[in-house]
mmCIF file of all heavy atoms in Angstrom:
data_model
loop_
_atom_site.group_PDB
_atom_site.id
_atom_site.type_symbol
_atom_site.label_atom_id
_atom_site.label_comp_id
_atom_site.label_asym_id
_atom_site.label_seq_id
_atom_site.Cartn_x
_atom_site.Cartn_y
_atom_site.Cartn_z
ATOM 1 N N LYS A 259 -80.773 129.563 -87.943
ATOM 2 C CA LYS A 259 -81.689 129.065 -86.920
ATOM 3 C C LYS A 259 -80.977 128.149 -85.924
ATOM 4 O O LYS A 259 -81.214 128.227 -84.716
ATOM 5 C CB LYS A 259 -82.860 128.340 -87.572
ATOM 6 C CG LYS A 259 -83.867 129.260 -88.241
ATOM 7 C CD LYS A 259 -84.988 128.469 -88.904
ATOM 8 C CE LYS A 259 -85.997 129.390 -89.584
ATOM 9 N NZ LYS A 259 -87.075 128.617 -90.269
ATOM 10 N N VAL A 260 -80.129 127.263 -86.433
ATOM 11 C CA VAL A 260 -79.392 126.373 -85.531
ATOM 12 C C VAL A 260 -78.443 127.176 -84.653
ATOM 13 O O VAL A 260 -78.361 126.966 -83.434
ATOM 14 C CB VAL A 260 -78.623 125.288 -86.316
ATOM 15 C CG1 VAL A 260 -77.757 124.455 -85.368
ATOM 16 C CG2 VAL A 260 -79.594 124.377 -87.064
ATOM 17 N N ASP A 261 -77.733 128.111 -85.237
ATOM 18 C CA ASP A 261 -76.817 128.944 -84.451
ATOM 19 C C ASP A 261 -77.557 129.744 -83.384
ATOM 20 O O ASP A 261 -77.104 129.853 -82.232
ATOM 21 C CB ASP A 261 -76.038 129.889 -85.367
ATOM 22 C CG ASP A 261 -74.766 129.266 -85.918
ATOM 23 O OD1 ASP A 261 -74.403 128.159 -85.468
ATOM 24 O OD2 ASP A 261 -74.119 129.880 -86.788
ATOM 25 N N ALA A 262 -78.715 130.294 -83.734
ATOM 26 C CA ALA A 262 -79.473 131.097 -82.781
ATOM 27 C C ALA A 262 -80.000 130.247 -81.630
ATOM 28 O O ALA A 262 -80.013 130.685 -80.475
ATOM 29 C CB ALA A 262 -80.637 131.791 -83.493
ATOM 30 N N ALA A 263 -80.412 129.020 -81.930
ATOM 31 C CA ALA A 263 -81.001 128.153 -80.903
ATOM 32 C C ALA A 263 -79.961 127.494 -80.011
ATOM 33 O O ALA A 263 -80.277 127.048 -78.901
ATOM 34 C CB ALA A 263 -81.865 127.077 -81.564
ATOM 35 N N THR A 264 -78.712 127.423 -80.482
ATOM 36 C CA THR A 264 -77.687 126.676 -79.749
ATOM 37 C C THR A 264 -76.502 127.533 -79.324
ATOM 38 O O THR A 264 -75.495 126.993 -78.856
ATOM 39 C CB THR A 264 -77.148 125.524 -80.617
ATOM 40 O OG1 THR A 264 -76.475 126.078 -81.764
ATOM 41 C CG2 THR A 264 -78.262 124.592 -81.072
ATOM 42 N N ASP A 265 -76.605 128.847 -79.478
ATOM 43 C CA ASP A 265 -75.452 129.721 -79.236
ATOM 44 C C ASP A 265 -74.259 129.288 -80.079
ATOM 45 O O ASP A 265 -73.121 129.225 -79.608
ATOM 46 C CB ASP A 265 -75.071 129.736 -77.747
ATOM 47 C CG ASP A 265 -76.150 130.365 -76.883
ATOM 48 O OD1 ASP A 265 -76.810 131.308 -77.350
ATOM 49 O OD2 ASP A 265 -76.346 129.885 -75.749
ATOM 50 N N ALA A 266 -74.551 128.958 -81.348
ATOM 51 C CA ALA A 266 -73.518 128.555 -82.316
ATOM 52 C C ALA A 266 -72.708 127.361 -81.827
ATOM 53 O O ALA A 266 -71.477 127.338 -81.923
ATOM 54 C CB ALA A 266 -72.606 129.727 -82.657
ATOM 55 N N ALA A 267 -73.422 126.348 -81.321
ATOM 56 C CA ALA A 267 -72.742 125.168 -80.786
ATOM 57 C C ALA A 267 -71.966 124.373 -81.836
ATOM 58 O O ALA A 267 -70.855 123.907 -81.558
ATOM 59 C CB ALA A 267 -73.741 124.259 -80.075
ATOM 60 N N PRO A 268 -72.491 124.162 -83.049
ATOM 61 C CA PRO A 268 -71.704 123.406 -84.034
ATOM 62 C C PRO A 268 -70.390 124.127 -84.354
ATOM 63 O O PRO A 268 -70.368 125.346 -84.529
ATOM 64 C CB PRO A 268 -72.619 123.360 -85.269
ATOM 65 C CG PRO A 268 -73.996 123.548 -84.730
ATOM 66 C CD PRO A 268 -73.841 124.493 -83.575
ATOM 67 N N VAL A 269 -69.314 123.370 -84.454
ATOM 68 C CA VAL A 269 -68.033 124.000 -84.775
ATOM 69 C C VAL A 269 -67.995 124.430 -86.242
ATOM 70 O O VAL A 269 -67.277 125.354 -86.603
ATOM 71 C CB VAL A 269 -66.839 123.071 -84.462
ATOM 72 C CG1 VAL A 269 -66.647 122.937 -82.965
ATOM 73 C CG2 VAL A 269 -67.014 121.704 -85.101
ATOM 74 N N TYR A 270 -68.764 123.736 -87.085
ATOM 75 C CA TYR A 270 -68.925 124.161 -88.470
ATOM 76 C C TYR A 270 -70.096 123.416 -89.093
ATOM 77 O O TYR A 270 -70.672 122.500 -88.489
ATOM 78 C CB TYR A 270 -67.649 123.956 -89.298
ATOM 79 C CG TYR A 270 -67.103 122.544 -89.377
ATOM 80 C CD1 TYR A 270 -67.544 121.649 -90.349
ATOM 81 C CD2 TYR A 270 -66.091 122.121 -88.508
ATOM 82 C CE1 TYR A 270 -67.021 120.371 -90.442
ATOM 83 C CE2 TYR A 270 -65.564 120.849 -88.596
ATOM 84 C CZ TYR A 270 -66.034 119.969 -89.561
ATOM 85 O OH TYR A 270 -65.516 118.706 -89.637
ATOM 86 N N TYR A 271 -70.424 123.837 -90.319
ATOM 87 C CA TYR A 271 -71.511 123.210 -91.068
ATOM 88 C C TYR A 271 -70.965 122.611 -92.357
ATOM 89 O O TYR A 271 -69.897 122.993 -92.841
ATOM 90 C CB TYR A 271 -72.594 124.234 -91.403
ATOM 91 C CG TYR A 271 -73.368 124.705 -90.196
ATOM 92 C CD1 TYR A 271 -72.916 125.796 -89.444
ATOM 93 C CD2 TYR A 271 -74.529 124.061 -89.785
ATOM 94 C CE1 TYR A 271 -73.604 126.225 -88.329
ATOM 95 C CE2 TYR A 271 -75.228 124.493 -88.665
ATOM 96 C CZ TYR A 271 -74.763 125.573 -87.941
ATOM 97 O OH TYR A 271 -75.448 125.996 -86.825
ATOM 98 N N MET A 272 -71.751 121.680 -92.907
ATOM 99 C CA MET A 272 -71.405 121.065 -94.179
ATOM 100 C C MET A 272 -72.667 120.956 -95.033
ATOM 101 O O MET A 272 -73.781 121.141 -94.551
ATOM 102 C CB MET A 272 -70.811 119.669 -93.956
ATOM 103 C CG MET A 272 -69.533 119.650 -93.140
ATOM 104 S SD MET A 272 -68.913 117.969 -92.855
ATOM 105 C CE MET A 272 -68.517 117.453 -94.518
ATOM 106 N N ILE A 273 -72.461 120.631 -96.292
ATOM 107 C CA ILE A 273 -73.552 120.289 -97.205
ATOM 108 C C ILE A 273 -73.225 118.925 -97.799
ATOM 109 O O ILE A 273 -72.087 118.685 -98.219
ATOM 110 C CB ILE A 273 -73.696 121.325 -98.337
ATOM 111 C CG1 ILE A 273 -73.950 122.718 -97.759
ATOM 112 C CG2 ILE A 273 -74.828 120.928 -99.292
ATOM 113 C CD1 ILE A 273 -73.873 123.826 -98.803
ATOM 114 N N ASN A 274 -74.206 118.021 -97.805
ATOM 115 C CA ASN A 274 -73.950 116.701 -98.367
ATOM 116 C C ASN A 274 -75.175 116.172 -99.113
ATOM 117 O O ASN A 274 -76.279 116.707 -99.001
ATOM 118 C CB ASN A 274 -73.511 115.700 -97.297
ATOM 119 C CG ASN A 274 -74.662 115.097 -96.524
ATOM 120 O OD1 ASN A 274 -75.296 115.773 -95.720
ATOM 121 N ND2 ASN A 274 -74.941 113.825 -96.753
ATOM 122 N N CYS A 275 -74.956 115.116 -99.865
ATOM 123 C CA CYS A 275 -76.005 114.391 -100.587
ATOM 124 C C CYS A 275 -76.770 115.295 -101.554
ATOM 125 O O CYS A 275 -77.998 115.243 -101.639
ATOM 126 C CB CYS A 275 -76.962 113.704 -99.618
ATOM 127 S SG CYS A 275 -77.702 112.201 -100.341
ATOM 128 N N ALA A 276 -76.036 116.120 -102.273
ATOM 129 C CA ALA A 276 -76.581 116.955 -103.337
ATOM 130 C C ALA A 276 -75.428 117.302 -104.274
ATOM 131 O O ALA A 276 -74.274 117.373 -103.843
ATOM 132 C CB ALA A 276 -77.211 118.228 -102.781
ATOM 133 N N HIS A 277 -75.724 117.490 -105.535
ATOM 134 C CA HIS A 277 -74.679 117.844 -106.501
ATOM 135 C C HIS A 277 -74.373 119.337 -106.395
ATOM 136 O O HIS A 277 -75.260 120.137 -106.069
ATOM 137 C CB HIS A 277 -75.157 117.505 -107.916
ATOM 138 C CG HIS A 277 -74.086 117.545 -108.937
ATOM 139 N ND1 HIS A 277 -73.831 118.672 -109.706
ATOM 140 C CD2 HIS A 277 -73.170 116.614 -109.329
ATOM 141 C CE1 HIS A 277 -72.822 118.419 -110.522
ATOM 142 N NE2 HIS A 277 -72.403 117.189 -110.318
ATOM 143 N N PRO A 278 -73.126 119.747 -106.642
ATOM 144 C CA PRO A 278 -72.788 121.176 -106.548
ATOM 145 C C PRO A 278 -73.704 122.091 -107.357
ATOM 146 O O PRO A 278 -73.958 123.230 -106.947
ATOM 147 C CB PRO A 278 -71.345 121.224 -107.065
ATOM 148 C CG PRO A 278 -70.773 119.891 -106.689
ATOM 149 C CD PRO A 278 -71.907 118.923 -106.884
ATOM 150 N N THR A 279 -74.208 121.610 -108.488
ATOM 151 C CA THR A 279 -75.101 122.451 -109.280
ATOM 152 C C THR A 279 -76.426 122.716 -108.573
ATOM 153 O O THR A 279 -77.150 123.644 -108.935
ATOM 154 C CB THR A 279 -75.394 121.801 -110.649
ATOM 155 O OG1 THR A 279 -75.950 120.484 -110.449
ATOM 156 C CG2 THR A 279 -74.131 121.694 -111.480
ATOM 157 N N HIS A 280 -76.743 121.910 -107.567
ATOM 158 C CA HIS A 280 -77.994 122.106 -106.834
ATOM 159 C C HIS A 280 -77.905 123.236 -105.808
ATOM 160 O O HIS A 280 -78.929 123.823 -105.465
ATOM 161 C CB HIS A 280 -78.382 120.810 -106.101
ATOM 162 C CG HIS A 280 -78.626 119.652 -107.007
ATOM 163 N ND1 HIS A 280 -78.717 118.357 -106.548
ATOM 164 C CD2 HIS A 280 -78.783 119.588 -108.361
ATOM 165 C CE1 HIS A 280 -78.921 117.537 -107.569
ATOM 166 N NE2 HIS A 280 -78.949 118.261 -108.680
ATOM 167 N N PHE A 281 -76.703 123.502 -105.323
ATOM 168 C CA PHE A 281 -76.612 124.478 -104.226
ATOM 169 C C PHE A 281 -75.636 125.624 -104.448
ATOM 170 O O PHE A 281 -75.567 126.540 -103.635
ATOM 171 C CB PHE A 281 -76.262 123.770 -102.908
ATOM 172 C CG PHE A 281 -74.990 122.955 -102.928
ATOM 173 C CD1 PHE A 281 -73.752 123.557 -102.785
ATOM 174 C CD2 PHE A 281 -75.031 121.575 -103.062
ATOM 175 C CE1 PHE A 281 -72.582 122.809 -102.783
ATOM 176 C CE2 PHE A 281 -73.867 120.807 -103.055
ATOM 177 C CZ PHE A 281 -72.650 121.425 -102.924
ATOM 178 N N LYS A 282 -74.901 125.616 -105.548
ATOM 179 C CA LYS A 282 -73.884 126.662 -105.719
ATOM 180 C C LYS A 282 -74.505 128.058 -105.757
ATOM 181 O O LYS A 282 -73.930 129.015 -105.236
ATOM 182 C CB LYS A 282 -73.047 126.402 -106.964
ATOM 183 C CG LYS A 282 -73.808 126.544 -108.278
ATOM 184 C CD LYS A 282 -72.863 126.406 -109.464
ATOM 185 C CE LYS A 282 -73.632 126.637 -110.776
ATOM 186 N NZ LYS A 282 -72.720 126.574 -111.941
#
């Protein structure tokens, strides 16, 4: 959604404030 709305403006994405077991 962010990429579609911004023509992929962010140079990259990250994940933070969660343990790896929550999102792996």
Side-chain angles (χ1 to χ4, degrees):
K259 286 178 180 178
V260 175
D261 273 352
T264 65
D265 294 325
V269 288
Y270 58 87
Y271 291 88
M272 299 178 65
I273 302 170
N274 82 289
C275 209
H277 193 266
T279 57
H280 298 167
F281 57 80
K282 67 174 183 177

